[in-house]
Amino acid sequence: MCSRYLGFFLLVWFPGALHAQSAALQCAAPSLDHGYFLPVKETYSHDTKLRYGCENTHKPAVEGWWAESVCQHGTWSHTPRCIEEKACIPPTIANAKYTEASEGWYKEGHIIRITCDKGYEHKDNIATAKCINGTWSSLPICERSMSACSEPPKVPHAVITGLDYQDLFAAGSEVQYECEDGYTIDGVHTKKSTYCLSGHWTEGPVCGGGRGPGTDLGGSAVGGTGGGHTSSAGGRRPGSGHGGTGTTSAGSGTRPVGGGTSTSSGTNEEEIQNAPIESCGIHPSIPNGEIVETREMFLKYACNIFYTYVGPKTVVCHSDGTWSDVPSCRATYCSVDTRQYRELYSDGVKYVKDGEGRKLACVKLDEWWTDHFSEVRCTNGRIRLSECCSWLTIKVSINLVLRNNVA
């Protein structure tokens, strides 16, 4: 009896459930201002393609003058939308990221700052782009950094732990090797890290097994040479057997092993190596610039618009607590304060890029002066203003010249 009622219930419930599931997969017709779409329906089933176009002065919020959106599980693959022609859609920049607009597009005049992925840097130090009349000006390019490293070297009887495979590593990156079972670096330890410094990896481990520390391939994991030893000028042996020590000395100073830089002119002078940037405290600031990338071993800067980057590409911290040389931002523009020129229309300070020019409005002497302007040019940081003139003045001058030539 119970099974009879259960079967009746399933017959009634299943069609309703299937109908509800089918309705959930449908998409409602989009609300498309300044545009039109086909086919026109109230609802669209799953996988239905909707094609749309926009009226004059508008364009789709994706590439092209017409667009297509697909109903996927109750939502459109992208929301059909028409934006102003002077607006910009998100740019595609390889190996980079930037702040995405909440609306999915950018208004004219909007400036975005590009951040390159790890291991890449801005080509020609261009880090920003501006939306001008529907297109992006001077889109930045992220190219491989000269200080980045390729994949770490293969070490017999060892694997890299803690991260997935990648073929490019940023400067300052650390990877850790771990020896396989039965192998060690020095008879005790099985793990060792190597670092990417100036495009090269510091020395990695040598995993030896069975006969003692580091004997599988000869030598130790750090410093020395295979099976040898190091000695000072006085004949003292700081290490012997399989591997030696981490430094070699010959009476004129020491040499650090494992990358980095050092300076020494005598045996008692302190070695200067690169250290994590936290060791140097407050990050140095530069006028008209800002820090755009912070890593464990270095800082990167970029200059504001109208300024050119001059100096080292990265700033590092030395082991003595001092910073390396910092870059500077050189002005590549001229400024004109229109309030200081009687002949110019007072409109605040105007900026002109070096090597470029622009027209500034002049004060009109009477109602007959039309398009009255001064041509302003910036050359090597120096400004030059032409006398105020208008197209009417130019036309009159041309007519006078022509008339005199005819006469």
Side-chain angles (χ1 to χ4, degrees), residues 46-359:
H46 178 68
D47 276 343
T48 298
K49 294 181 180 180
L50 181 76
R51 293 176 174 82
Y52 68 96
C54 299
E55 299 171 355
N56 291 336
T57 72
H58 285 74
K59 63 183 180 181
V62 292
E63 197 68 47
W65 63 267
W66 81 93
E68 178 182 276
S69 186
V70 182
C71 177
Q72 295 287 330
H73 304 288
T75 59
W76 294 105
S77 56
H78 78 269
T79 302
R81 182 176 297 169
C82 292
I83 62 176
E84 294 182 358
E85 281 187 331
K86 292 186 177 181
C88 293
I89 63 175
T92 300
I93 305 176
N95 309 310
K97 55 182 174 291
Y98 54 89
T99 302
E100 297 182 0
S102 57
E103 302 88 356
W105 52 277
Y106 302 84
K107 294 182 179 180
E108 184 183 25
H110 186 90
I111 297 176
I112 57 174
R113 178 172 290 277
I114 307 301
T115 301
C116 292
D117 295 339
K118 294 181 179 180
Y120 294 87
E121 60 187 9
H122 297 103
K123 183 178 180 180
D124 299 328
N125 296 307
I126 298 176
T128 60
K130 184 176 182 179
C131 176
I132 300 177
N133 198 26
T135 59
W136 292 102
S137 65
S138 303
L139 271 180
I141 297 176
C142 290
E143 60 184 3
R144 173 172 172 162
S145 172
M146 295 295 292
S147 59
C149 296
S150 300
E151 63 177 22
K154 181 180 179 181
V155 173
H157 308 296
V159 295
I160 291 176
T161 60
L163 78 165
D164 296 329
Y165 174 82
Q166 58 189 78
D167 56 7
L168 188 66
F169 290 80
S173 297
E174 174 189 5
V175 297
Q176 187 178 70
Y177 289 89
E178 182 172 356
C179 299
E180 67 171 292
D181 290 344
Y183 289 82
T184 62
I185 298 171
D186 52 8
V188 178
H189 300 94
T190 60
K191 298 180 180 180
K192 183 190 175 182
S193 293
T194 180
Y195 301 87
C196 173
L197 296 177
S198 301
H200 300 281
W201 291 102
T202 60
E203 190 170 2
V206 175
C207 295
R211 299 185 297 275
T215 56
D216 183 63
L217 295 178
S220 70
V222 183
T225 57
H229 64 272
T230 59
S231 61
S232 66
R236 183 173 58 87
R237 297 178 63 202
S240 60
H242 299 283
T245 65
T247 61
T248 62
S249 60
S252 60
T254 60
R255 177 175 59 85
V257 180
T261 61
S262 67
T263 60
S264 62
S265 57
T267 56
N268 296 324
E269 291 194 5
E270 182 182 1
E271 297 173 353
I272 304 297
Q273 293 182 310
N274 292 345
I277 60 174
E278 296 179 355
S279 304
C280 284
I282 299 175
H283 300 168
S285 60
I286 60 174
N288 305 307
E290 59 181 320
I291 297 173
V292 294
E293 190 173 352
T294 302
R295 302 294 185 190
E296 180 184 3
M297 299 296 291
F298 66 89
L299 301 171
K300 276 192 176 182
Y301 294 78
C303 294
N304 299 332
I305 191 171
F306 293 121
Y307 290 85
T308 296
Y309 191 97
V310 179
K313 292 185 176 181
T314 59
V315 175
V316 300
C317 172
H318 294 153
S319 58
D320 62 355
T322 61
W323 291 101
S324 64
D325 293 338
V326 296
S328 61
C329 295
R330 179 171 58 84
T332 54
Y333 70 94
C334 297
S335 61
V336 180
D337 189 347
T338 57
R339 295 166 296 187
Q340 297 181 0
Y341 296 85
R342 292 183 178 180
E343 65 271 26
L344 296 181
Y345 174 75
S346 181
D347 192 23
V349 179
K350 301 298 181 180
Y351 298 93
V352 185
K353 283 187 176 182
D354 194 68
E356 296 183 2
R358 64 179 299 182
K359 296 177 182 178

